[in-house]
């Protein structure tokens, strides 16, 4: 465990062998021609991990059994129990059509784990500027991205990816969410959220427990097991 600055740490997450296997599987998926959804408007070539079925037996245990414990020790002020997440890859590539950089932003997450899974590159690292709620939070720092290692920080940490000058960088992003925090304050607009019923794929980490069968009539074609507020 290495502390980059107060509130930002790096540590090993995956082995080289696992990174090889994961990248190979992602390539197989892209080569299959199956439809996929871009993670967001800023990353055109990433993959949403739930579309590959990688959550139940891979990412669920990683986040709920391990990242949750780390978050409770390192960033207790930003989260309660982690109870949902959004996992996706990003690919920065210096070739003509590749995504080269990413503008400054903060994440729709209580805590984020950003893991490098492959590539060799020049430029293209991640620079951190402090919390969105406190922009004078010390000097900016650049995190070194080593294969298999993750950078762990609060979702509110302002950061950007600098332009990649050569090669490629492939990362797995875990936006880890805590409904006990975001139910009271939306992490994007910093206002009290107005929560409406939806399904497990669009709940964005918000809940208003308990979800019960009486709510099904308001959301057609969903079982009570699928309901999140």
């Amino acid at each position: 465990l290495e502390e980059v600055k107060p509130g930002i740490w790096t540590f090993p997450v995956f082995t080289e062998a696992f990174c090889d296997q994961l990248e190979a599987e992602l390539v197989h998926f892209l080569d299959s021609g199956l439809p996929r959804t871009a993670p967001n408007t800023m990353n055109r070539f990433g993959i949403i991990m739930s579309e590959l079925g990688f959550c139940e037996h891979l990412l669920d245990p990683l986040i709920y059994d391990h990242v949750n414990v780390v978050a409770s020790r390192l960033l207790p002020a930003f989260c309660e129990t982690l109870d949902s997440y959004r996992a996706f890859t990003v690919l920065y590539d210096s070739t003509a059509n590749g995504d080269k950089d990413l503008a400054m932003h903060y994440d729709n997450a209580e805590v984020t784990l950003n893991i490098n899974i492959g590539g060799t590159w020049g430029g293209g690292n991640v620079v951190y500027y402090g919390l969105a709620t406190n922009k004078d939070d010390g000097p900016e720092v650049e995190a070194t991205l080593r294969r298999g290692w993750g950078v762990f920080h609060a979702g509110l940490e302002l950061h950007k990816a600098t332009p990649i000058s050569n090669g490629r960088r492939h990362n797995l992003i875990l936006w880890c969410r805590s409904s006990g925090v975001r139910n009271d304050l939306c992490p994007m607009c910093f206002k009290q959220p107005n929560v409406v019923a939806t399904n497990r794929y669009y709940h964005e980490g918000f809940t208003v427990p308990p979800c019960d069968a009486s709510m099904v009539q308001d959301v057609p074609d969903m079982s009570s097991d699928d309901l999140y507020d």
Side-chain angles (χ1 to χ4, degrees), residues 97-112:
N97 191 45
D99 287 337
K100 305 293 192 301
D101 57 17
L102 187 61
M104 188 186 298
H105 65 284
Y106 55 93
D107 299 335
N108 186 359
E110 274 61 64
V111 296
T112 295

Side-chain angles (χ1 to χ4, degrees), residues 29-46:
F29 177 64
L30 290 174
D31 289 346
S32 72
L34 290 170
R36 66 177 178 85
T37 307
N40 51 59
T41 58
M42 301 179 291
N43 300 110
R44 297 172 295 160
F45 301 104

Side-chain angles (χ1 to χ4, degrees), residues 80-84 110 177-185 205-209 229:
E80 296 179 9
T81 300
L82 301 179
D83 50 11
S84 67
E110 274 61 64
R177 294 163 170 173
S178 175
S179 63
V181 174
R182 64 178 44 215
N183 283 349
D184 294 327
L185 190 70
F206 296 96
T207 63
V208 180
D229 278 6

Side-chain angles (χ1 to χ4, degrees), residues 1-4 8-14 62 66-67 70-71 74-75 112-116 144 146-153:
L1 181 69
E2 299 177 7
E3 190 171 27
V4 178
I8 303 176
W9 292 267
T10 65
F11 48 81
V13 182
F14 299 143
L62 173 63
H66 300 288
V67 178
V70 174
L74 298 183
L75 294 170
T112 295
L113 181 58
N114 179 349
I115 310 161
N116 177 244
T144 301
R146 290 174 280 182
R147 195 179 195 210
W149 283 59
V151 182
F152 189 62
H153 58 85

